[in-house]
Amino acid sequence: MKRIALLSMLLLPIAVYSQNYEAGESIFKANCVSCHKMDAKVIGPPLANIVEAQGAEWTKKWIYNNEELRASGDAHALAIYEEYNKQVMPAYSFLTDQELDNLVGYLENWQTKQEEVVEVKQSVSGEVKENANKVERKLSSAGKVIIAAFVLAA
């Protein structure tokens, strides 16, 4: 019983993290992809490193109401505004605090998730190759047995 409780305590944060990441991804796809990609400029800047570069709180403020952030004199907000030809990003003040947290969590963890996907693909690819080699060896052995049977039958 203690093992189950311990396992639950260890896995619960992972499940919550995954759920929040997926919720953030959903918000991103619904509201951001028309102007942003994670790894390339579109109408707006790439967002893969925004949280690392500016911090989670700054990113939330920018998403929630970037006009207010610019009006406060924030140097980075003003620089983005100028770099992108004074293109105004809509305010997402309708997002709840939880939704903002989920979205920023998605932005913050996107690169790590991409790396995890690559690792899994490489691992699976290696396992597939290894299993294919095993099957080939077994078939090769089976082929030798069949040839030997024909030789003996003749």
Side-chain angles (χ1 to χ4, degrees):
M1 185 65 170
K2 288 181 182 180
R3 287 183 184 174
I4 293 172
L6 179 61
L7 188 59
S8 296
M9 288 183 344
L10 292 173
L11 293 179
L12 184 60
I14 294 169
V16 170
Y17 164 79
S18 177
Q19 182 181 30
N20 291 343
Y21 180 86
E22 290 169 2
E25 180 179 29
S26 178
I27 294 165
F28 181 81
K29 287 179 178 178
N31 298 286
C32 309
V33 295
S34 60
C35 297
H36 294 281
K37 288 184 109 181
M38 293 301 289
D39 55 357
K41 279 186 178 184
V42 187
I43 293 170
L47 300 176
N49 298 314
I50 190 68
V51 179
E52 182 181 335
Q54 295 302 315
E57 289 308 310
W58 184 93
T59 305
K60 288 178 198 176
K61 288 177 185 177
W62 175 264
I63 295 166
Y64 191 77
N65 189 343
N66 63 83
E67 185 176 347
E68 188 175 285
L69 192 58
R70 289 191 321 271
S72 76
D74 183 273
H76 188 68
L78 291 168
I80 291 172
Y81 183 65
E82 291 296 325
E83 181 181 349
Y84 287 87
N85 300 316
K86 299 182 180 181
Q87 181 72 32
V88 177
M89 180 178 129
Y92 290 91
S93 53
F94 60 87
L95 293 175
T96 66
D97 288 344
Q98 184 62 53
E99 289 169 326
L100 278 171
D101 287 342
N102 291 343
L103 178 55
V104 171
Y106 170 75
L107 298 175
E108 184 173 27
N109 293 294
W110 180 82
Q111 186 62 46
T112 301
K113 286 287 189 176
Q114 300 311 300
E115 291 165 3
E116 289 172 2
V117 167
V118 168
E119 286 177 20
V120 168
K121 284 181 179 179
Q122 289 173 342
S123 174
V124 168
S125 175
E127 289 175 23
V128 167
K129 286 178 185 175
E130 184 179 320
N131 287 337
N133 288 337
K134 286 179 184 177
V135 168
E136 186 179 350
R137 284 192 297 273
K138 286 181 181 179
L139 289 176
S140 179
S141 296
K144 290 176 186 174
V145 170
I146 291 171
I147 291 170
F150 280 123
V151 169
L152 291 174

